[in-house]
Amino acid sequence: MRPMPQALGRIGFGWSDGTSTRSISFTAPDRVASGTPDADSRVLALSVARAIPAGGFTFTPEAGVEVRDVRIDGFTETGANALNLRVGSTDLTGALARLAGTVSTNLGAVTPRATVGWRQVFGDDVPVLDAAFSSGARFRVEGTGRARGDAFVALGLDGQLGPLTLFADYEGDFGSESHGVRAGTRISW
């Protein structure tokens, strides 16, 4: 029997209640400006994969796309009088295509896995903030963004508890030199 392809979807929402401080020491007296930048994000992802058993291992090629929208709310700093910043809100929307291959092996209730792949970014990837000092004209600050295309490697461990899968993952991204760890649960039906 040939392995059947599977389609995997994910919908996500996240939020961040942040704080920022900026030390100002070129005027007397020294000052500290503080702000509360908040953000929320939405993610919609779809991928197609096919598990191919081979000897005690399973190889799974995968192709997918992810669309993200991040909104950073505007805020006004306090604590530095005329040197406080008023920062406008900004939106980042973009898509990410992914090609990857995963090798895994089942060790009873635990499944270790390793993945290598390539991601390509489309759309907004450079954060841009419009700001102004309390008594001045607006100016624009652009972030560095991420690499348009980059290779990544991931290592993970799944533990099966009935219909629940507990997981822990590490992922390293060679283009942006970022590293991440996540853990959670998935349910299958």
Side-chain angles (χ1 to χ4, degrees), residues 27-178:
T27 63
D30 290 351
R31 299 177 185 165
V32 175
S34 301
T36 55
D38 299 331
D40 60 66
S41 61
R42 288 152 299 283
V43 176
L44 176 62
L46 179 64
S47 63
V48 178
R50 178 180 287 205
I52 303 168
F57 295 90
T58 301
F59 174 68
T60 308
E62 173 193 347
V65 66
E66 180 176 297
V67 178
R68 295 181 183 182
D69 177 56
V70 177
R71 176 169 179 77
I72 302 170
D73 296 333
F75 64 95
T76 300
E77 292 178 329
T78 59
N81 300 327
L83 298 177
N84 288 328
L85 287 176
R86 290 185 324 265
V87 179
S89 62
T90 189
D91 285 298
L92 292 170
T93 303
L96 183 137
R98 169 184 161 122
L99 291 173
T102 300
V103 174
S104 62
T105 187
N106 190 326
L107 303 175
V110 177
T111 304
R113 61 190 145 67
T115 303
V116 294
W118 180 263
R119 277 189 285 251
Q120 188 69 39
V121 176
F122 304 93
D124 297 339
D125 70 328
V126 176
V128 175
L129 292 176
D130 289 319
F133 288 105
S134 292
S135 59
R138 298 193 77 70
F139 59 91
R140 178 166 278 192
V141 178
E142 291 187 10
T144 58
R146 65 177 291 160
R148 285 301 213 184
D150 53 8
F152 66 93
V153 63
L155 302 172
L157 190 64
D158 291 344
Q160 200 67 42
L161 294 170
L164 291 178
T165 302
L166 304 175
F167 67 90
D169 295 326
Y170 159 80
E171 187 169 302
D173 193 324
F174 296 110
S176 63
E177 297 182 18
S178 66

